[in-house]
Amino acid sequence: MYTTIVTSLDDGIFTITINRPDKLNALNKQVFTDLDAAVDEVYNNAAIKSAIVTGAGPKAFVAGADITEFSGLNKEEAMELARRGQLVFFKIENSKKPFVAAVNGFALGGGCELAMACHFRLCSENAKFGQPEVNLGLIPGYGGTQRLTQLVGKGKSMELQMTAYLVDANEALQLGLVNHVTSSENLLEKTRAILNVIMGKAPIAIGKIIECVNVAALSDSSFNNGKSGYAKEIEAFGDCFITEDMKEGTAAFLEKRKANFTGK
Ligand code: COA
């Protein structure tokens, strides 16, 4: 049924594994289609009580949006890409059943944004988190400007996004980006153990906690002419796509060379 993810259901826990290890599980359009349908399964299948999101292979959770799909997009198409990503991630964030990210390696760009859309995160010792979009002349587009700020605070969020610095597992723990660090071998087991505790509680109360905590984390939409930070992000993401620096940044990544930005 799915081509880019693998799913399994054991004792009420639905595990969604992004499965493009040769591309470090980069999120292309098909991954979003598959992920969206898998999240629907979580919503609709009464046998599913909670979900884990993880990545295939030893190296990456998800190394970002698939950069090969960026070339040639105009502003409107780029905004549509961001909108689509945000919608799937909102669905994860607003699920009444808990979603936990088990981050087993690189969680960069869209990968970090996917992990942050989950209700909380565990990671393995080799995990690396970051929003390196500025290297491509871009900004995060799947909610990263908003959720990173909610999780680590404004100053750290600004620095991490502006420098494209990659945070290791222990720094991620200190920053509150993850709740626990464990060995790669124990990552899924530890995640399942926590979900088993949660699944022993009242499901309606769990759903209400998710709802209330999400409200506490919402950005203030009274600024920016009533537009939320997420809508602002979509527009700014689209704006980046009509810059020469974005074309240069993505071409440099694909050609495996350093980008030469000119500010145009
Ligand atoms: N989109 C598309 N392809 C990607 C990708 C992405 N975001 N991230 C990795 N890949 C691909 C690489 O192009 C490479 O493909 P190839 O073997 O066909 O050349 C493969 O995955 C393995 O990646 P590689 O770069 O060779 O691994 P590495 O260990 O040298 O470096 C990273 C790992 C994560 C540091 C590096 O892949 C990287 O910087 N990725 C992009 C991260 C990023 O900018 N994400 C935000 C996107 S908005």
Side-chain angles (χ1 to χ4, degrees):
M1 179 179 167
Y2 298 119
T3 55
T4 61
I5 65 172
V6 174
T7 62
S8 63
L9 176 60
D10 298 295
D11 298 329
I13 302 177
F14 191 59
T15 303
I16 301 171
T17 306
I18 315 290
N19 189 31
R20 300 181 71 210
D22 53 325
K23 296 293 174 192
L24 305 187
N25 305 319
L27 303 172
N28 64 11
K29 285 199 183 109
Q30 190 57 44
V31 176
F32 272 111
T33 302
D34 286 347
L35 186 58
D36 193 28
V39 176
D40 282 342
E41 267 199 71
V42 176
Y43 271 62
N44 298 326
N45 182 348
I48 298 175
K49 309 293 183 200
S50 66
I52 297 175
V53 182
T54 192
K59 202 168 160 184
F61 173 71
V62 166
D66 191 320
I67 298 166
T68 62
E69 290 186 344
F70 284 177
S71 48
L73 294 190
N74 63 29
K75 176 173 172 170
E76 227 0 274
E77 290 164 334
M79 287 174 67
E80 194 42 47
L81 190 77
R83 218 172 269 127
R84 169 92 175 113
Q86 285 196 10
L87 274 178
V88 178
F89 290 2
F90 274 129
K91 209 192 274 185
I92 290 174
E93 185 171 50
N94 292 308
S95 160
K96 290 188 167 48
K97 301 175 189 175
F99 268 82
V100 179
V103 177
N104 56 310
F106 288 112
L108 306 183
C112 190
E113 290 171 299
L114 170 59
M116 292 191 296
C118 292
H119 298 124
F120 58 90
R121 291 141 291 283
L122 280 76
C123 77
S124 54
E125 284 150 353
N126 67 328
K128 286 252 164 76
F129 295 81
Q131 297 293 160
E133 286 86 351
V134 284
N135 289 339
L136 305 169
L138 264 177
I139 65 164
Y142 303 151
T145 62
Q146 306 303 296
R147 292 195 183 93
L148 187 63
T149 308
Q150 292 158 8
L151 278 167
V152 305
K154 186 173 171 182
K156 245 334 182 192
S157 174
M158 289 277 191
E159 183 186 342
L160 292 177
Q161 292 181 66
M162 289 186 199
T163 58
Y165 178 75
L166 301 193
V167 169
D168 69 23
N170 285 322
E171 286 173 293
L173 185 63
Q174 276 170 21
L175 285 170
L177 203 45
V178 298
N179 294 9
H180 304 275
V181 178
T182 171
S183 65
S184 300
E185 301 74 49
N186 284 334
L187 179 63
L188 286 177
E189 198 184 320
K190 170 99 180 153
T191 310
R192 292 176 68 84
I194 294 175
L195 282 174
N196 278 325
V197 172
I198 295 172
M199 291 189 306
K201 317 293 179 198
I204 292 176
I206 296 296
K208 294 290 177 198
I209 287 173
I210 292 171
E211 222 175 290
C212 294
V213 175
N214 281 345
V215 170
L218 271 185
S219 63
D220 184 345
S221 60
S222 61
F223 296 113
N224 189 32
N225 298 325
K227 280 189 193 168
S228 73
Y230 290 100
K232 174 76 188 161
E233 181 187 278
I234 288 174
E235 203 173 322
F237 184 80
D239 284 339
C240 292
F241 271 76
I242 50 178
T243 64
E244 286 177 20
D245 279 348
M246 182 270 169
K247 289 180 185 68
E248 164 63 10
T250 50
F253 175 79
L254 298 172
E255 290 160 18
K256 301 183 191 295
R257 62 174 172 80
K258 193 173 174 343
N260 178 24
F261 293 126
T262 58
K264 292 185 192 133

